[in-house]
Amino acid sequence: MSSQLLIQTIANAIAASGMLALIAVGLTLAFGVMQMANLAHGHFFMMGAYTVYALYALGGWPFWWAVAAAVAVGAVIGLIVERGIFRPLQGDVVSGFIATAGLMFVFEVLVGELWGWGLSRPIPSPYMRAVRFMGAAVAFQRVLVIPFAVVSIGGLMFFMRRFRLGRALRAVAQDPEAAALQGININRMTALAMAIAGAYAGLAGGLMSTIYAITPSLGGHIILPALIVVVVGGMGSIGGATLAAVIFGFVMTFVTTLVDGVTAVMVSVTVMAVVLAIRPQGLMGRVIA
Amino acid sequence: MPILEVEGLSKYFGGLAALNDVNLSIQEGEIRGIIGPNGAGKTTLFNVISGVYRPSSGQIRYQGKTRIDGLSSSRIAGMGVVRTFQRTALYHHFSVLKNVIVARHLHAKENIFRVISGLAKKTEEKNTEKALEIVEFMGLGHLKEELAENLPHGHQRALGVAIAIACEPKVLLLDEPLTGMTPTEKDRMIDLIRKVHQQGITILMVEHDMRSVMELCGYISVLDFGMLLVEGPPAEIQNNEMVINAYLGTEDILSASTSA
Amino acid sequence: MSSHSMKKYKIGGLAPLILVLSGLCLVPFFLRAYLVEVAMMYFIYIILAQSYRLIVTVHDWQLYHIVLYGVGAYTSGMLAKNLGVPVFVAIPLGGAMAGLVGMAITLPLLRTKGWGFYIATYGLAELIRLTWLKFRNPFGGSTGIIDIPWPPVIAGIDFSDRIPYYFFSLGVMLLVMLMLYRIEKSRIGDSFKAISMDPELAASTGINIPRHRLMACSIGGFFAGVAGGLLVHRLGAVDPKLFNITTTLYLLIWVVVGGTNTFWGPIIGVSVMHTLFELSRPLIEIRPMFFGLSMVLVLIFLPGGLEGLISKAITRLQKRDRVAPVET
């Protein structure tokens, strides 16, 4: 591996970590608050990407306006799923999980019917420039996600420590019953968590839309790495998800560069199995007695 | 000969001692009462003995030399130490009879190939017969086809004991068998416990209802703050200064219990 | 998923069963060739759905069942093609392999609870599927394996013909159903349900939970593998796409829509949903949405599935028969 390629790969790995973190943090937050898992979370990401495609590539909106719309679309979808599926199924983990599996079909068909099936949609990058660093060139568009990931996740952690609403969210994630006794409105918190989860996935989808070839099946491809990150990080742990996102961002990018994408997924799954065999609760998960 | 010995048993939860250096020696054939205020560590003691928790330190010996601390719940049950739960633990969607049939797991072992080929039928029939006997013995014969979730509370508790008896234990741990019962239900349960004891089963019982504990148990151990406070026959315990102090602010532990 | 309701009701004794069976025996002689092929797929899917339900009774909604179906297909196909193992021997061997693989991938996950478990099973399923994709030798990569041997001629009956194979797969399905029924009604089946209702209580009565979970996974896996064997020797080819997450979603849809509380649920689920699937071929693009939505709606509004609905209707009818309605 030449030093140029090495630097390029490291930059890509950091970008991939940022994207994975943005997706996984929302997924794990929603899980922590509701104890419910959203298999269609990757499809939120896909909807974000398609929002940018529709508004920016087709509609001629400025790129950043389109990204902002992707965030809003993600949040709204999150709210709808919370209201329509998780709330009626409250507490029924298996049903919630399977219902969101059914949702995967729904979103895929929706997007496919609206914007066409099959071939990927190319989206022209608004920033053609490359960042030059020690002789290596890294696409500016690709590293764009990094500052956004840092600010959003840092902001979320700050919000959950310093703000009353955020602390309430944290309390529900730690012990829903005790939180309810303190007068915290659980439904409001689950809605908030799903809105944040949707918004973050939409943001990641919007930012990465110009890099990935987007197709209706994009959600199905991105969900597995995101789930692996959440499970390995420890379900419900935002810090754990961030840590695991960095680990898998690097593992997947390097294996993809050195071998191929299929092997990268295989290696990641194997790492997950090993971690779970040793630490069933994940790296930073709490042990449930 | 002691059938169950607990030696230096401690259990910590994040630095907090739920059990602290507890020693117990249970003689074969006795009914031992375990009492103490709420949070004294009684249920934790049962959870550790029955394998739900691993002890932080200490030993539990069964029948003289067999160490059972740290074994899994199912193995401990297999050796003959079986517990009931403070909550009303039943298979709610099974019939009364089915609840007991399932609990006879240990004594109706059949491998999957015999099941598939239909050779296991005889064992299963015999098992059902035995389960029916237990249901009758526990006074639930007339309710055997009823779903467990539809039983009145007293019968549900009796079924909980029936499930434990079905495992054919040598030592039975009863966790608050009288909780939430009306006086009539209580009397019936006390008779049942006596009947079970007459079958030669050693009983270890956590209970808040002091009158019943005093009536049933030959010997009582008192836990407080995870430690063994004092042990002795009921008459001694009733008048023990330390025990009375442990049940803070109540002069008479008998009245403390019945109102709780 | 709500509970196992053990309410007693009779679907109607032996008469309907005999009627259905004789219907199934006559049908291939009257149907168009294509429809006979479709009918065989019903048998394969019913084996899949019922074996999956067995695992669901322990509450392990694992997501590798379809991949075990694939393990059976690949194993049976490769044994027959590369080693010349007779087809009717290769099929159960494929099942055995699937059972073993099911046990092997459940083992490291036994201590992982709830959602983490489901996700991890999905991950490991993908690992196996990607192995087929990645290693062209011996799995053939994305094109898979072709020229898999057809079943032989036995006693003058050519099992590679449509109608003999129809009866062969019907027979296998009935045999599998009989075995699963016996397990369901046995103490082992009861222990599975006991574990899903109250694991703590089950363990306290000496039921070894990890052992039972592994047992359910490997028995279920065995039958999934057998279904794969049935498939592969009819198609004559196999490729990784047959076993992807979409097929898993359809399996979930059959089982959930049919209902998991009783033995009959998955049969109803496959019968209804696969019929709708075949009928909606003209709407191929939006079909998945309809199926996804129907599963969501059943989960929210009909937790017992179609089977629950039917059994409720039957008990209501029986009640009305017994007690004459009071006019007001």
Side-chain angles (χ1 to χ4, degrees):
Chain A
M1 203 177 208
S2 71
S3 70
Q4 249 170 305
L5 183 60
L6 180 68
I7 291 169
Q8 220 160 10
T9 312
I10 290 176
N12 288 348
I14 298 174
S17 305
M19 178 193 73
L20 272 179
L22 268 182
I23 302 172
V25 156
L27 192 54
T28 208
L29 172 73
F31 177 82
V33 171
M34 300 185 299
Q35 304 300 307
M36 289 265 213
N38 181 10
L39 262 189
H41 192 74
H43 288 67
F44 291 12
F45 173 87
M46 187 252 313
M47 298 292 263
Y50 266 96
T51 306
V52 170
Y53 168 69
L55 297 177
Y56 165 72
L58 298 182
W61 284 32
F63 179 71
W64 292 109
W65 282 101
V67 171
V71 173
V73 165
V76 169
I77 297 174
L79 284 173
I80 294 173
V81 170
E82 192 272 332
R83 219 28 198 292
I85 293 189
F86 290 127
R87 203 176 291 184
L89 290 175
Q90 221 149 37
D92 191 344
V93 178
V94 176
S95 293
F97 172 71
I98 298 170
T100 56
L103 265 193
M104 292 167 78
F105 270 167
V106 176
F107 284 127
E108 229 165 281
V109 171
L110 223 58
V111 167
E113 286 297 305
L114 274 174
W115 290 296
W117 295 88
L119 287 176
S120 58
R121 313 277 132 197
I123 300 177
S125 175
Y127 304 98
M128 301 306 282
R129 279 183 295 125
V131 183
R132 299 212 164 268
F133 183 73
M134 289 173 68
V138 181
F140 182 69
Q141 183 72 36
R142 194 179 276 275
V143 292
L144 208 60
V145 71
I146 299 169
F148 276 92
V150 172
V151 170
S152 327
I153 294 168
L156 181 63
M157 285 174 167
F158 183 75
F159 170 72
M160 288 181 77
R161 285 203 168 77
R162 288 298 154 81
F163 285 78
R164 233 181 61 149
L165 197 60
R167 279 205 296 260
L169 199 59
R170 219 155 65 119
V172 176
Q174 270 158 8
D175 187 348
E177 269 172 50
L181 286 177
Q182 284 170 29
I184 295 173
N185 183 339
I186 305 280
N187 281 340
R188 251 184 78 203
M189 291 303 129
T190 56
L192 179 64
M194 280 303 288
I196 293 174
Y200 278 32
L203 174 65
L207 287 174
M208 301 307 275
S209 61
T210 57
I211 289 171
Y212 283 93
I214 65 168
T215 66
S217 57
L218 181 61
H221 295 309
I222 202 80
I223 189 69
L224 182 59
L227 292 170
I228 292 174
V229 164
V230 170
V231 173
V232 168
M235 285 165 289
S237 162
I238 291 175
T242 312
L243 175 67
V246 174
I247 295 173
F248 284 99
F250 272 80
V251 168
M252 293 196 77
T253 309
F254 271 84
V255 179
T256 305
T257 309
L258 294 174
V259 195
D260 59 47
V262 171
T263 312
V265 178
M266 291 169 73
V267 170
S268 307
V269 172
T270 311
V271 171
M272 173 198 72
V274 171
V275 170
L276 287 182
I278 301 165
R279 272 182 76 85
Q281 75 275 27
L283 295 176
M284 291 170 76
R286 277 169 296 138
V287 191
I288 311 153
Chain B
M1 187 184 98
I3 190 162
L4 193 70
E5 285 168 289
V6 171
E7 200 180 294
L9 193 71
S10 299
K11 175 69 192 171
Y12 298 95
F13 290 110
L16 232 70
L19 288 176
N20 194 349
D21 195 24
V22 172
N23 296 293
L24 286 174
S25 175
I26 314 295
Q27 299 301 312
E28 185 154 10
E30 72 167 311
I31 303 187
R32 171 71 61 98
I34 311 274
I35 64 169
N38 282 324
K42 305 180 298 283
T43 295
T44 307
L45 176 67
F46 272 20
N47 280 336
V48 173
I49 294 177
S50 65
V52 174
Y53 299 144
R54 203 175 268 275
S56 304
S57 61
Q59 289 190 4
I60 304 166
R61 280 189 305 274
Y62 173 56
Q63 290 182 321
K65 52 191 185 299
T66 322
R67 292 268 304 261
I68 61 167
D69 46 274
L71 297 183
S72 70
S73 295
S74 58
R75 286 213 38 207
I76 291 172
M79 298 170 89
V81 180
V82 178
R83 59 92 54 93
T84 66
F85 294 85
Q86 195 175 331
R87 66 187 172 93
T88 308
L90 305 164
Y91 305 116
H92 288 269
H93 305 292
F94 277 163
S95 72
V96 167
L97 182 59
K98 181 79 89 175
N99 265 276
V100 179
I101 290 175
V102 173
R104 292 201 38 80
H105 173 84
L106 288 165
H107 303 277
K109 281 232 156 84
E110 274 293 359
N111 72 45
I112 190 75
F113 299 104
R114 286 174 59 88
V115 165
I116 290 176
S117 57
L119 290 171
K121 261 224 161 82
K122 218 167 201 156
T123 323
E124 307 228 338
E125 272 164 19
K126 232 188 250 159
N127 186 39
T128 306
E129 246 167 66
K130 182 76 194 169
L132 204 54
E133 255 172 56
I134 294 165
V135 170
E136 301 279 356
F137 177 81
M138 296 303 286
L140 296 166
H142 59 298
L143 296 166
K144 63 175 190 263
E145 294 299 336
E146 197 63 51
L147 287 188
E149 62 183 349
N150 296 338
L151 296 185
H153 179 75
H155 288 315
Q156 282 189 338
R157 300 296 294 191
L159 180 55
V161 178
I163 289 172
I165 299 297
C167 306
E168 301 183 8
K170 295 197 177 70
V171 179
L172 178 63
L173 314 178
L174 296 172
D175 199 348
E176 300 197 21
L178 305 174
T179 292
M181 287 189 171
T182 62
T184 355
E185 287 174 334
K186 271 186 194 169
D187 288 342
R188 205 159 44 202
M189 182 55 96
I190 289 168
D191 286 342
L192 274 178
I193 294 172
R194 283 224 174 86
K195 262 172 74 180
V196 169
H197 180 236
Q198 279 160 11
Q199 304 286 307
I201 298 173
T202 307
I203 292 177
L204 204 63
M205 171 173 136
V206 164
E207 182 51 59
H208 279 296
D209 186 297
M210 287 311 153
R211 255 181 248 280
S212 313
V213 173
M214 300 299 165
E215 205 182 311
L216 273 169
C217 302
Y219 206 75
I220 292 171
S221 306
V222 186
L223 283 181
D224 192 22
F225 292 113
M227 284 184 283
L228 188 66
L229 192 65
V230 63
E231 290 185 308
E236 225 170 83
I237 294 295
Q238 264 178 70
N239 302 314
N240 187 300
E241 196 87 3
M242 286 198 291
V243 177
I244 293 165
N245 285 335
Y247 281 88
L248 219 93
T250 50
E251 298 105 76
D252 179 7
I253 62 170
L254 286 181
S255 66
S257 63
T258 37
S259 62
Chain C
M1 213 43 25
S2 73
S3 44
H4 303 274
S5 96
M6 296 293 130
K7 278 182 197 113
K8 291 244 162 159
Y9 59 88
K10 279 232 162 93
I11 293 221
L14 274 179
L17 199 66
I18 292 167
L19 207 69
V20 169
L21 273 183
S22 32
L24 284 174
C25 290
L26 288 175
V27 141
F29 300 106
F30 298 101
L31 285 182
R32 279 187 290 130
Y34 168 73
L35 289 179
V36 178
E37 301 288 344
V38 170
M40 286 184 228
M41 288 315 289
Y42 276 90
F43 302 156
I44 290 171
Y45 290 158
I46 286 179
I47 296 176
L48 268 180
Q50 283 228 309
S51 54
Y52 188 59
R53 179 188 163 258
L54 176 82
I55 299 166
V56 165
T57 58
V58 203
H59 226 63
D60 280 346
W61 288 78
Q62 41 85 343
L63 297 179
Y64 55 65
H65 205 64
I66 289 298
V67 163
L68 295 186
Y69 169 54
V71 169
Y74 270 92
T75 308
S76 181
M78 287 166 71
L79 284 176
K81 184 182 174 180
N82 303 345
L83 301 178
V85 176
V87 167
F88 292 134
V89 179
I91 292 175
L93 285 178
M97 181 59 125
L100 281 177
V101 171
M103 205 190 292
I105 55 185
T106 312
L107 204 58
L109 308 179
L110 278 176
R111 292 190 303 148
T112 302
K113 282 181 188 158
W115 190 59
F117 176 80
Y118 310 134
I119 296 311
T121 60
Y122 172 34
L124 288 178
E126 275 297 286
L127 180 62
I128 294 174
R129 208 178 65 84
L130 293 175
T131 309
W132 298 329
L133 207 60
K134 167 124 182 98
F135 296 100
R136 297 190 63 83
N137 183 20
F139 301 114
S142 61
T143 47
I145 301 171
I146 53 166
D147 293 333
I148 289 169
W150 306 107
V153 180
I154 293 176
I157 304 168
D158 185 354
F159 278 94
S160 66
D161 273 351
R162 184 177 308 111
I163 291 184
Y165 204 77
Y166 172 94
F167 280 102
F168 171 61
S169 30
L170 174 63
V172 171
M173 179 191 75
L174 291 175
L175 192 64
V176 169
M177 275 169 70
L178 176 70
M179 293 198 247
L180 285 171
Y181 188 78
R182 281 200 168 137
I183 296 171
E184 162 103 12
K185 295 293 164 196
S186 76
R187 186 196 48 74
I188 293 176
D190 288 340
S191 301
F192 287 163
K193 285 176 202 146
I195 289 169
S196 76
M197 268 188 253
D198 194 333
E200 203 182 13
L201 178 61
S204 84
T205 61
I207 295 177
N208 183 332
I209 295 178
R211 233 191 101 219
H212 278 77
R213 287 176 66 192
L214 284 177
M215 191 157 51
C217 286
S218 47
I219 298 169
F222 172 80
F223 290 122
V226 168
L230 280 182
L231 176 82
V232 80
H233 295 291
R234 186 66 206 153
L235 291 184
V238 62
D239 73 79
K241 251 220 311 289
L242 290 167
F243 312 109
N244 64 13
I245 186 78
T246 306
T247 317
T248 301
L249 287 181
Y250 278 110
L251 173 67
L252 287 174
I253 289 167
W254 299 328
V255 172
V256 167
V257 173
T260 55
N261 287 345
T262 74
F263 187 75
W264 308 104
I267 303 178
I268 297 171
V270 171
S271 307
V272 172
M273 294 316 274
H274 194 58
T275 306
L276 290 175
F277 186 87
E278 287 293 333
L279 290 177
S280 58
R281 279 200 183 275
L283 304 170
I284 197 154
E285 278 190 349
I286 60 164
R287 181 167 60 185
M289 176 147 120
F290 163 74
F291 279 86
L293 263 183
S294 62
M295 179 160 74
V296 172
L297 293 177
V298 165
L299 283 167
I300 295 175
F301 298 109
L302 206 64
L306 289 177
E307 184 276 329
L309 197 70
I310 295 171
S311 62
K312 225 180 259 168
I314 291 176
T315 29
R316 197 165 294 171
L317 277 177
Q318 283 170 342
K319 257 186 203 151
R320 199 185 296 164
D321 285 348
R322 253 179 275 133
V323 192
V326 184
E327 299 288 330
T328 45

